Amino acid sequence: MHRVKVRVVEDVLDANATIARANRDDFERAGVTVVNLMSAPGAGKTTLLERGLADLGVRAGVLEGDVQGSLDADRLASLHIPVVQLNTDNGFGGECHLDANMVRSALPALPLDALDLLVVENVGNLVCPAEFAIGEHHRVMVSSVAEGEDKPVKYPLMFRACELVLINKVDLLPHLDFDLERFLYHLDAVHPHVPRMLVSARTGEGIEQWRAWLQSRVALPSADEAVQAG
Amino acid sequence: MHRVKVRVVEDVLDANATIARANRDDFERAGVTVVNLMSAPGAGKTTLLERGLADLGVRAGVLEGDVQGSLDADRLASLHIPVVQLNTDNGFGGECHLDANMVRSALPALPLDALDLLVVENVGNLVCPAEFAIGEHHRVMVSSVAEGEDKPVKYPLMFRACELVLINKVDLLPHLDFDLERFLYHLDAVHPHVPRMLVSARTGEGIEQWRAWLQSRVALPSADEAVQAG
């Protein structure tokens, strides 16, 4: 039975990889840079997007992944950018992650040609989102200091899959038994030298750095586009 | 393709229910009450067990579910009670929940006959653990106030599946933009009148209430056992 289960899983991941490549092709044809933003529930992804995308100077959009509801998409409405809600709760109790096919199903609702940057806010979960590519160019995760300093060691795949770790809610550090040095030690143990930023969506600490990172990911227009724009 | 996926999921849940019933039979034969403890990563399950089980006056044990590692089991070692580690990371990137068969595979390592209470600490995740029965008698979840007041609405199945919600880290309330009334409003919207306790594993607030709840769940010895014990 275990063997069958493993084969089913491999088939699922195979199909996912194929669809992720198709998504990636569509993103590149449209000239849009795609960031997959992941974290545990309540780590602060949406607030970091509110702070990060406001008046960023690039044409940004958001794909909001949630099991159910549209609370986060509603919060982002004030940014006046394209926001599409994607719910994972059809049948079953709800999928705990986005996969490439779910993202693909949402693409027609997104004005890709009018975007430079698309952030996909994944379902809050530190396990499965790291296992399913969705066609993204970049993977970023948010780890809240309120979650404790052991998280990199307990969810190593997620911390390894990312190229940037936003260590959020640092304004709470004086009120927590959280040893930042120990967290960084664990982080470097599972993903040595991965870029990290200390941020607080509440106080604004580190937000300019996060915004600069987002801006720097947006590809310069290709020669063709520059000619057309001129 | 979607149809096939749904059928696979139904088969998996069917098999899980069968094995969960077998686990439950074993638990009842041994006279042990089993609590399935669930939460998002870093909500404080392990600390609430350290505080809740120390010198509780019942014969308690813990089954620790983690994707990888034994950090939590190591922390609980100081309680000098049976603790068994169950890792979900064989192959794949790791399962994001415990299922009945994983728990079954760990039962031989547990001295069930010598326990009154077994707490299963599930993998940190607000989605899938609620979908997989493991043979437990009671389901408890921990929601940290640092995660935000919208969690019941975003993960309704988890909040509905539980008979007790521990609202943890209330010592942080003065430092958060967390509206407790709003959280409770959301909680009652998805699971009206579910028992809830305000607790802080850090300051000890509410811990006596949590310990009393655990004690009250332990079944009185059956007549047979009482005779044998006499």
Side-chain angles (χ1 to χ4, degrees):
Chain A
M1 178 172 169
H2 183 65
R3 197 169 212 140
V4 171
K5 191 174 169 197
V6 168
R7 204 173 58 224
V8 169
V9 165
E10 283 171 355
D11 284 350
V12 167
L13 288 180
D14 244 20
N16 189 72
T18 302
I19 301 169
R21 275 191 296 271
N23 290 349
R24 177 75 169 252
D25 289 346
D26 286 355
F27 296 145
E28 299 200 335
R29 228 176 343 255
V32 57
T33 299
V34 178
V35 174
N36 184 357
L37 185 63
M38 303 180 279
S39 80
K45 293 187 295 303
T46 309
T47 314
L48 284 170
L49 286 183
E50 288 178 295
R51 295 292 205 114
L53 296 181
D55 305 315
L56 189 62
V58 304
R59 300 173 304 168
V62 176
L63 181 57
E64 263 301 330
D66 279 305
V67 176
Q68 197 173 313
S70 63
L71 274 182
D72 290 349
D74 299 344
R75 283 171 59 191
L76 293 174
S78 63
L79 293 176
H80 304 294
I81 61 174
V83 177
V84 170
Q85 180 72 51
L86 181 54
N87 286 137
T88 69
D89 69 345
N90 52 351
F92 202 33
E95 294 285 345
C96 62
H97 58 276
L98 295 179
D99 66 23
N101 200 40
M102 293 181 218
V103 169
R104 190 151 195 83
S105 73
L107 294 189
L110 281 163
L112 288 185
D113 287 327
L115 296 180
D116 305 309
L117 174 68
L118 174 66
V119 182
V120 182
E121 187 178 336
N122 218 309
V123 179
N125 181 350
L126 286 185
V127 186
C128 303
E131 294 162 3
F132 287 85
I134 55 175
E136 72 273 46
H137 298 91
H138 306 287
R139 292 174 161 199
V140 177
M141 74 161 294
V142 184
S143 189
S144 154
V145 294
E147 295 164 18
E149 63 223 16
D150 57 353
K151 291 301 156 292
V153 190
K154 295 188 69 177
Y155 303 92
L157 185 69
M158 175 60 78
F159 283 84
R160 254 179 226 132
C162 289
E163 65 190 270
L164 173 67
V165 177
L166 298 170
I167 304 167
N168 194 22
K169 308 196 188 183
V170 293
D171 57 291
L172 291 179
L173 282 175
H175 314 294
L176 298 171
D177 301 318
F178 180 92
D179 183 338
L180 182 59
E181 288 307 308
R182 197 155 180 79
F183 175 87
L184 297 175
Y185 174 83
H186 287 323
L187 180 60
D188 281 320
V190 302
H191 193 164
H193 311 304
V194 60
R196 74 282 318 257
M197 294 177 189
L198 298 177
V199 300
S200 165
R202 195 170 180 231
T203 66
E205 179 176 344
I207 295 299
E208 276 314 309
Q209 207 185 348
W210 162 227
R211 290 166 62 84
W213 187 91
L214 284 168
Q215 283 165 330
S216 70
R217 292 313 109 165
V218 174
L220 295 171
S222 70
D224 278 2
E225 283 169 338
V227 168
Q228 286 180 343
Chain B
M1 179 173 164
H2 185 64
R3 196 169 213 140
V4 171
K5 192 174 169 198
V6 169
R7 206 174 55 225
V8 168
V9 165
E10 282 170 356
D11 285 350
V12 166
L13 287 180
D14 245 19
N16 189 72
T18 302
I19 302 169
R21 276 191 295 274
N23 290 350
R24 176 76 167 250
D25 289 346
D26 286 355
F27 296 146
E28 298 200 336
R29 230 178 338 256
V32 57
T33 299
V34 178
V35 174
N36 184 358
L37 186 63
M38 302 180 279
S39 80
K45 294 186 296 302
T46 309
T47 315
L48 284 170
L49 286 182
E50 287 177 297
R51 294 293 206 115
L53 296 180
D55 305 315
L56 188 63
V58 305
R59 300 174 303 167
V62 176
L63 181 56
E64 264 302 329
D66 279 304
V67 176
Q68 197 173 315
S70 63
L71 274 181
D72 291 350
D74 298 345
R75 283 170 60 190
L76 294 173
S78 63
L79 293 175
H80 303 296
I81 61 174
V83 178
V84 170
Q85 180 72 50
L86 182 53
N87 287 137
T88 69
D89 69 344
N90 51 350
F92 202 32
E95 294 286 344
C96 62
H97 58 276
L98 295 179
D99 66 23
N101 201 40
M102 292 182 220
V103 169
R104 191 151 194 83
S105 73
L107 293 189
L110 281 163
L112 288 185
D113 288 325
L115 296 180
D116 306 309
L117 173 68
L118 174 66
V119 181
V120 181
E121 186 179 335
N122 218 310
V123 179
N125 182 351
L126 286 184
V127 186
C128 302
E131 296 163 0
F132 288 84
I134 56 174
E136 72 273 47
H137 298 91
H138 305 288
R139 291 173 162 201
V140 176
M141 74 162 293
V142 184
S143 190
S144 155
V145 295
E147 294 164 18
E149 63 224 17
D150 57 353
K151 291 302 155 294
V153 190
K154 296 187 69 176
Y155 303 92
L157 184 69
M158 175 59 79
F159 284 84
R160 258 181 222 130
C162 288
E163 65 189 270
L164 174 66
V165 177
L166 298 170
I167 304 167
N168 194 22
K169 307 195 189 184
V170 293
D171 57 290
L172 291 180
L173 282 174
H175 314 294
L176 298 171
D177 301 319
F178 180 92
D179 182 338
L180 182 60
E181 288 307 309
R182 198 157 178 79
F183 175 86
L184 297 174
Y185 174 83
H186 287 322
L187 180 60
D188 281 321
V190 301
H191 194 166
H193 311 303
V194 59
R196 75 279 320 254
M197 294 177 189
L198 298 177
V199 300
S200 165
R202 194 171 182 230
T203 66
E205 180 176 343
I207 295 299
E208 277 314 308
Q209 207 185 349
W210 162 230
R211 290 166 61 83
W213 187 92
L214 285 168
Q215 283 164 330
S216 70
R217 294 310 110 166
V218 174
L220 296 169
S222 69
D224 277 4
E225 284 169 339
V227 169
Q228 286 181 342

